[in-house]
Amino acid sequence: MASVLVLNATYEPLSVVSVRRAIVLLLKEKAELLEATEERIRASNLSLPYPLVIRLVYYVRVPRRMFVPLTRRALLARDNYTCQYCGFSGNSSELTMDHVLPKVQGGKTTWDNVACACRACNSRKGGKTLQEARMTLARKPARPQFLAFVVLSNASAHEVWGKYIPDMGQIGAPTSASVISRG
Ligand SMILES: [Zn+2]
């Protein structure tokens, strides 16, 4: 499903929503259209440009910590598709979500308790803690910052988003880890 970048009234990137949600915001005049494709969406008696970037009409106060959904893909992106135990760099089929404190020992699936691991390290660590497995992490896992999340959504991100996300051009996918650790 394609995504639409939502900017705050101040033009700062705020979130990423579905095309459907973006259209609702536009129709309710809660947002204005900034970027669209040539394509048009036809629904019943409506014909609308296919939105890429919208801007909220009213300013939304941004919470200091925005919620970043934890998915396997977001985790792999946070960890730069690199095993946090041995440094192996692979694709999504070669990497797994490892629980630092294993689930069997009460570990939760939270940003600060998961790390990207290759299959070998994942099975070597198994249900053990770091100490028990005598393994170390490349860095302490933490929740990624919001801007990073926008970048993590890259698969559905459109090039034009880069105009509104100042760092996106320099970030690119391979170095996204540097963004995440910021701030
Ligand atoms: Zn590994």
Side-chain angles (χ1 to χ4, degrees):
M1 181 67 179
S3 306
V4 179
L5 177 65
V6 182
L7 305 182
N8 212 336
T10 51
Y11 288 88
E12 284 161 316
L14 184 67
S15 76
V16 176
V17 298
S18 67
V19 170
R20 177 188 293 264
R21 175 79 186 133
I23 287 170
V24 169
L25 290 168
L26 291 168
L27 292 178
K28 287 187 171 169
E29 297 182 341
K30 288 185 174 171
E32 61 167 0
L33 185 65
L34 290 184
E35 304 281 351
T37 65
E38 304 279 297
E39 249 178 292
R40 292 189 76 86
I41 298 172
R42 276 167 237 282
S44 55
N45 56 347
L46 282 169
S47 171
L48 293 158
Y50 198 96
L52 292 173
V53 182
I54 62 170
R55 171 182 167 256
L56 295 180
V57 177
Y58 302 102
Y59 179 72
V60 172
R61 261 193 74 157
V62 186
R64 227 182 124 61
R65 286 221 137 185
M66 287 197 64
F67 176 69
V68 181
L70 173 53
T71 62
R72 187 173 157 278
R73 203 178 103 208
L75 172 69
L76 300 194
R78 184 199 71 180
D79 290 350
N80 209 12
Y81 287 82
T82 304
C83 174
Q84 296 299 291
Y85 297 106
C86 72
F88 168 83
S89 170
N91 62 41
S92 72
S93 67
E94 298 166 307
L95 297 163
T96 61
M97 180 191 286
D98 179 69
H99 286 75
V100 179
L101 176 65
K103 278 207 240 178
V104 291
Q105 299 204 29
K108 301 251 161 53
T109 306
T110 50
W111 279 113
D112 57 2
N113 191 47
V114 291
C116 174
C118 71
R119 296 194 179 281
C121 288
N122 189 258
S123 73
R124 192 182 138 203
K125 186 161 171 298
K128 299 190 279 278
T129 63
L130 287 174
Q131 290 85 343
E132 287 164 356
R134 292 167 189 256
M135 292 166 86
T136 50
L137 282 168
R139 61 197 168 104
K140 197 176 182 310
R143 178 190 292 271
Q145 296 300 305
F146 178 70
L147 183 60
F149 169 59
V150 174
V151 178
L152 298 182
S153 316
N154 234 336
S156 58
H158 194 277
E159 229 177 281
V160 76
W161 289 13
K163 272 168 69 178
Y164 302 94
I165 306 172
D167 298 334
M168 193 165 145
Q170 322 159 9
I171 292 163
T175 54
S176 56
S178 59
V179 185
I180 290 153
S181 54
R182 185 190 298 170

